[in-house]
Amino acid sequence: MEIYKTLEITQNSPTSRVFNLRINRPSLRNALSLDFFTEFPKALTSLDQNPDASVIVLSGNGDHFCAGIDLKALSSMSAAEVDLGITADLGTLQRLPSIVGYGKAVELALSARRFSGSEAKELGLVSRVFGSKDAMDEGVQAIAEEIAAKSPLAVTGTKAVLLRSRDLTVNQGLDYIATWNSGMLLSDDLVEATAAQSQKRAPSFSKL
């Protein structure tokens, strides 16, 4: 596995389909450097092409996930914070209103205020809140392993349909899933899932 300056990739176990992609600059609170923007796409491509990887958990080593862009290393680039005198980029202003509502998005984007994990959950920005980093790591790994045990075809299809449906009406979304499933209903994964349920055993799905 390739060695990176700003990232670390690990596998939960030799048989696990869960891979951990960690930002690895803990002494700098995992601030993003120029090397990161080169290495991150390479790491994602490598994992995407790895047939053993079904789920990728993105996190940061140390006590912080990511402090944002390292302005010492990236003085010619912009950070998505109005406090720095710039406009948020990387899709924040495009995606935030559809998640938290237009009014709340305006407040958060213009004030740049900090808010707690509990408020983030209330806003729909996160699905769960944990009491500690250890509890979060354990909880995330459990969810990742649960997803990794599912049919890779079904997981891929569900993700694709959810992403596509954001821009479709309900009827258009139903047409899209009907087209998608017409090609999936003959898959070996469906046969295996049905057999596993009838035999009361865990399914064993093929890699993509």
Side-chain angles (χ1 to χ4, degrees):
M1 194 172 294
E2 186 172 349
I3 303 299
Y4 300 96
K5 294 180 180 178
T6 65
L7 299 169
E8 177 185 68
I9 298 177
T10 61
Q11 186 178 5
N12 277 3
S13 71
T15 59
S16 175
R17 292 188 176 185
V18 176
F19 282 71
N20 296 281
L21 176 57
R22 298 186 180 94
I23 305 172
N24 192 27
R25 303 181 77 206
S27 63
L28 297 173
R29 297 192 300 170
N30 293 321
L32 307 182
S33 66
L34 283 170
D35 287 328
F36 169 84
F37 288 99
T38 300
E39 293 181 341
F40 190 62
K42 289 182 179 179
L44 287 179
T45 298
S46 174
L47 289 170
D48 184 52
Q49 295 174 349
N50 185 346
D52 292 323
S54 293
V55 177
I56 301 170
V57 177
L58 177 62
S59 62
N61 279 333
D63 295 330
H64 301 274
F65 166 61
C66 176
I69 294 177
D70 187 344
L71 294 179
K72 293 180 181 179
L74 298 175
S75 58
S76 63
M77 297 184 69
S78 62
E81 296 180 21
V82 72
D83 282 345
L84 296 177
I86 60 173
T87 302
D89 56 5
L90 302 178
T92 300
L93 300 181
Q94 290 70 40
R95 297 184 178 94
L96 193 60
S98 64
I99 299 173
V100 304
Y102 181 79
K104 199 67 178 181
V106 170
E107 180 216 329
L108 294 175
L110 294 181
S111 68
R113 70 173 177 83
R114 293 181 177 274
F115 51 92
S116 67
S118 297
E119 184 177 355
K121 184 179 179 181
E122 291 176 4
L123 291 170
L125 290 171
V126 299
S127 59
R128 299 189 189 185
V129 176
F130 298 90
S132 67
K133 184 178 185 299
D134 288 342
M136 180 187 69
D137 289 342
E138 183 178 343
V140 169
Q141 292 298 329
I143 295 170
E145 291 289 356
E146 186 176 3
I147 295 172
K150 309 299 184 186
S151 158
L153 278 177
V155 170
T156 299
T158 299
K159 286 172 56 181
V161 171
L162 283 172
L163 289 171
R164 186 73 177 89
S165 295
R166 293 186 303 182
D167 302 318
L168 301 176
T169 65
V170 173
N171 286 336
Q172 289 172 331
L174 290 172
D175 288 340
Y176 185 76
I177 185 59
T179 301
W180 184 281
N181 269 343
S182 65
M184 296 296 107
L185 290 178
L186 300 177
S187 72
D188 292 338
D189 281 8
L190 176 60
V191 175
E192 170 60 15
T194 303
Q197 287 190 8
S198 65
Q199 297 168 16
K200 301 186 184 304
R201 60 172 174 82
S204 178
F205 298 110
S206 301
K207 301 174 184 178
L208 285 179

